[in-house]
Structure formats: structure tokens, C-alpha cells
Amino acid sequence: MSLTVVGSMAFDALETPFGKTDKIVGGAATYISLSASYFVEPVNVVSVVGGDFDQDHIKLMHQRNISTEGVQVKENEKSFFWSGRYFNDMNSRETLVTELNVLGDFDPIIPESYQGCEYLMLGNLAPQVQRTVIERLNVRPKLVVMDTMNFWMDIALDALKETIALVDVLSINDEEARQLSGEYSLVKAAKVIMAMGPKFLIIKKGEHGALLFNEDKVFFAPALPLEEVFDPTGAGDTFAGGFIGYIASTNDTSFENMKRAVIYGSALASFCVEKFGTERLKNLIQEEIDARVQQFVNLVKFTTIEQ
Ligand code: AMP
């Protein structure tokens, strides 16, 4: 099944308690496409970069069968730049700089070869642009998953709500779910947000796992307790890429299959945080992924005394 991903491709400068990076490659579409590439091929990316973007990274994407035909290159402009700093617990961070640059007036182009895709992942980006991508597809995909962040809730709430109304699955973190719904309880927040349109809601809770809601049902996936979390940047996007990649590879959008997809997403995210940036996602092997998924199974498997 084919998957199209839209989102930022970026330079990030990160500060964690373990160190600092200069500009390294990041961006929502970068993490999502790398992660999804372990499940489906090709992964079709829609994005925009400046003339300064890293060509080696584009080569890596091609090696992983990620199509960049829908990635516009604005030779005389600068790529999107984001800088963030993590606090000691690594669960929360502050944005230091957001320079939209080429993303400021991004007009997404959908190549003919992407038309007819069954799965669409709207990575973090201006909600108006996410919506334009849905509108420019000739056929509505079987499943549309959307990720967003507080930045857009602060500056474009109305447009954000319009886009949310058009998607099947929304993926946000706990703080954002509270901000979007005005409810502290995540169960109440989920009800309010699902009433905005999406049938499914994923609430990510960093090292405390993720919740998947649908109607009155809820599923909980833990995050793997890791000895070392080096850099959480991109974990949410990597999760989303694994989630939709797994669903696309199985072509099954049932709640039962989404539970498995949440675990695959969590497994991929657990690799992402082990090194800075995209480093750990560049060359995973299938055996490592399978072994990690098994660790999740073992983590939560138990029997009651009667069994
Ligand atoms: P995550 O850690 O999964 O929330 O995603 C981190 C990535 O999101 C970084 O690589 C950033 O480049 C990207 N990012 C941060 N802010 C924005 C924004 N306002 N729009 C699009 N992408 C962003």
C-alpha cells in the first residue's frame, strides 16, 4: 500500500543534559519517513527545503526508498530551522527558536505519482498546508493521520480545528490534548477532541507511553524503560511513522490492528531516542525491530492467578 507523508524537513539545534548539537538534519517528515520506510516502500514525501539542505541526507532517503519527488528545493532560500532545549527529566522541552524560512509560504505540490495513495500522514506543519494536501489529492485516502503541536494551537487555532475535522486519527501529546480540549482529565479531553472530528485519538505521554482512544475504548502502550535516553527529538514523529507504516503494510485500519501499530510506533520511537537526531534510525535491521516489539510484549504480559 502506498503512503504519502507531508511535514517539515529541517535543521535542528538541540540542547539536552547530555550535550549540544550544531545544526543537524531534523523535521517531522524526516523522522516520519525514515521510520515508515521500515514498513512500506516507497514512502512519498511532500515538503520544502532551502538550497542549504544536506544532500547526503537526501541520498540516504533515496537509499531507503523514500521518494523526494514532492520535496521542493528553493535554491536561494534557507531551510526551516528549529532549536529546542530539554529539561533534566527529558520529558519537557522549550522551543528556543522557530525560523519558518521556506516553510513560511509553502505551497505543497503533489506529484502525479503520489496520487491514489491509500494512506496519508500529515506531519507537523501549518494546519492550512496540511489541509491543502488533503484537498489536492484526487481520491481521499483510506486513512488520514495527523500530528500537530502547541505552536499551531497558539497561533492558528481556527485553521487547526478545521483540519482536525477532516482527519481519521489525531496524534498529540498530553499537554497539547489538555490545551486543545480545555480539560485536565485525559479521558474527558479525548471525548472533547474526538467530537471535533477524528474517530481515533492518540495521546503521547513521552516516557510514560501512549493512549489510543476510539469511541468508548481505550488502549495503553507503555514506553520501553530505557537505561539511557539521549535525545527525545523526533520521538513523536518516529512513533507516527511506525504507526502509519505498520497500518499501511497490513492494510488494516481496525482498532485491534491499531493497537499493534501503536506498539510498532513505540518500538521505533525507542530507537530514535537512543542517539542524537536521526542517527539511530538510519540503518535498523528487521531483527532488531522484531526483538524490540517482543520486549514490549514481555513488558506487559502477565497472567491472573486463575489462568
Ligand atoms: P517531535 O520531537 O516528534 O515533536 O518533533 C521534533 C521535530 O519537529 C524537529 O525535528 C523540528 O524540526 C520539528 N518542528 C518543530 N517545530 C515545528 C513547527 N512549528 N513546524 C514544523 N515542524 C516543527
Side-chain angles (χ1 to χ4, degrees):
M1 291 294 128
S2 60
L3 168 64
T4 295
V5 173
V6 59
S8 54
M9 287 173 67
F11 282 123
D12 291 344
L14 312 168
E15 272 180 52
T16 79
F18 302 107
K20 251 175 125 161
T21 65
D22 261 345
K23 289 187 173 183
I24 59 170
V25 170
T30 304
Y31 286 102
I32 294 167
S33 59
L34 276 177
S35 177
S37 72
Y38 290 98
F39 301 91
V40 270
E41 47 178 35
V43 175
N44 301 323
V45 177
V46 175
S47 191
V48 62
V49 294
D52 56 351
F53 200 72
D54 183 344
Q55 285 311 306
D56 286 343
H57 187 79
I58 302 282
K59 278 193 206 132
L60 169 81
M61 290 170 83
H62 295 162
Q63 280 161 11
R64 294 222 44 83
N65 218 340
I66 298 168
S67 168
T68 57
E69 205 188 327
V71 178
Q72 298 168 48
V73 183
K74 300 268 173 81
E75 284 300 341
N76 299 320
E77 293 177 47
K78 282 165 75 181
S79 300
F80 173 71
F81 173 68
W82 177 78
S83 166
R85 181 196 293 142
Y86 290 85
F87 299 107
N88 275 342
D89 71 354
M90 297 285 249
N91 265 333
S92 48
R93 71 177 176 209
E94 60 179 336
T95 291
L96 301 174
V97 183
T98 300
E99 282 174 19
L100 290 176
N101 300 328
V102 283
L103 270 191
D105 57 357
F106 178 37
D107 188 20
I109 297 172
I110 316 287
E112 201 40 49
S113 63
Y114 292 13
Q115 290 291 353
C117 62
E118 289 94 352
Y119 292 89
L120 175 64
M121 176 71 224
L122 301 172
N124 187 14
L125 203 68
Q128 301 90 321
V129 177
Q130 293 175 314
R131 182 182 178 161
T132 304
V133 171
I134 300 179
E135 288 167 354
R136 290 189 179 165
L137 289 175
N138 300 338
V139 186
R140 196 203 188 265
K142 190 168 168 183
L143 193 79
V144 181
V145 180
M146 171 182 178
D147 187 57
T148 187
M149 73 187 291
N150 50 357
F151 181 79
W152 305 111
M153 293 174 196
D154 294 338
I155 67 163
L157 187 60
D158 289 342
L160 182 67
K161 284 186 176 168
E162 281 172 33
T163 307
I164 287 176
L166 303 176
V167 307
D168 303 300
V169 186
L170 179 68
S171 165
I172 48 180
N173 71 29
D174 44 0
E175 220 176 288
E176 291 156 353
R178 290 184 172 120
Q179 181 173 346
L180 185 60
S181 64
E183 292 286 354
Y184 185 80
S185 147
L186 294 180
V187 176
K188 284 188 184 163
K191 282 196 183 132
V192 172
I193 295 168
M194 286 191 287
M196 294 176 183
K199 287 201 187 66
F200 301 89
L201 173 70
I202 295 169
I203 301 183
K204 297 166 286 181
K205 289 153 60 78
E207 67 169 328
H208 305 299
L211 293 162
L212 168 69
F213 293 91
N214 169 229
E215 296 169 348
D216 292 329
K217 302 186 283 288
V218 56
F219 173 69
F220 171 68
L224 207 61
L226 294 168
E227 265 185 43
E228 268 178 349
V229 174
F230 212 71
D231 168 24
T233 308
D237 303 314
T238 304
F239 170 91
F243 174 79
I244 197 158
Y246 180 79
I247 294 176
S249 72
T250 49
N251 197 21
D252 175 354
T253 58
S254 67
F255 184 68
E256 278 311 305
N257 199 48
M258 279 194 194
K259 290 182 185 177
R260 283 186 284 271
V262 167
I263 298 293
Y264 274 87
S266 305
L268 268 287
S270 76
F271 288 116
C272 174
V273 302
E274 286 179 344
K275 289 197 175 158
F276 262 119
T278 55
E279 213 40 51
R280 189 71 176 96
L281 294 178
K282 287 181 179 168
N283 44 20
L284 291 169
I285 53 170
Q286 192 59 46
E287 287 72 24
E288 289 179 286
I289 298 175
D290 293 344
R292 202 73 27 131
V293 168
Q294 191 54 46
Q295 279 181 271
F296 276 84
V297 174
N298 297 342
L299 186 65
V300 292
K301 197 166 66 181
F302 72 100
T303 50
T304 55
I305 204 108
E306 298 82 40
Q307 284 174 325

